[in-house]
Amino acid sequence: MGLDSKKDVHLDGSTRRSVSRLEVLEGPSGRRVRSEAERARIVAESLLPGAQVSEVARKHGATRWQIYDWRRRFRQRGMLSPREASPPTFAPLIVEGALEERQVPAIKLEIAIGDVVLGRTQP
């Protein structure tokens, strides 16, 4: 390694004080170069049911924004179906038993002005 080469260090550790993995990338940019097939595999993994993009990104040494960007680019090229293709699902509404009429208590309204009291009872 020469004096002019750059290094990028990726620390894979959560909030713990120890580092579980240290990865040093060498080269002119210090960035990882991924093939189109590798990006496609990572995007496909991020789209699996129950998958969390941040966990998939951490697993592959990427950021979640990279994965979102790769998804967008695959969609633009028609290599990934648009989000709108899958309609949202709703839980069915189930009503058990007939609705009963509720008895509303009577309301007594009084307005007092001096010695005069106006009152009305509404059923």
Side-chain angles (χ1 to χ4, degrees):
M1 174 170 54
L3 295 173
D4 294 331
S5 66
K6 297 179 182 177
K7 287 187 179 182
D8 185 20
V9 178
H10 174 75
L11 300 176
D12 183 17
S14 58
T15 57
R16 298 175 293 177
R17 295 195 183 259
S18 64
V19 175
S20 60
R21 186 180 83 186
L22 174 67
E23 185 176 353
V24 178
L25 302 174
E26 295 184 33
S29 68
R31 295 180 180 207
R32 180 179 284 118
V33 178
R34 298 185 192 272
S35 68
E36 195 75 11
E38 186 178 6
R39 290 179 187 174
R41 280 193 302 273
I42 294 170
V43 166
E45 184 178 339
S46 74
L47 293 171
L48 291 174
Q52 292 184 343
V53 175
S54 59
E55 289 180 9
V56 173
R58 192 176 307 114
K59 175 181 171 184
H60 294 285
T63 66
R64 64 181 198 268
W65 298 115
Q66 283 177 312
I67 295 177
Y68 291 134
D69 185 54
W70 297 340
R71 284 180 179 183
R72 181 183 54 80
R73 290 177 187 207
F74 283 127
R75 279 190 187 101
Q76 286 175 343
R77 288 186 261 164
M79 299 171 72
L80 189 63
S81 63
R83 282 180 273 215
E84 296 79 28
S86 59
T89 57
F90 295 96
L93 174 64
I94 300 172
V95 178
E96 294 182 6
L99 296 176
E100 299 174 6
E101 288 188 31
R102 299 181 185 203
Q103 294 295 328
V104 179
I107 300 172
K108 185 173 183 181
L109 178 64
E110 291 184 350
I111 301 174
I113 303 173
D115 293 337
V116 179
V117 177
L118 301 173
R120 180 174 181 196
T121 303
Q122 293 181 339

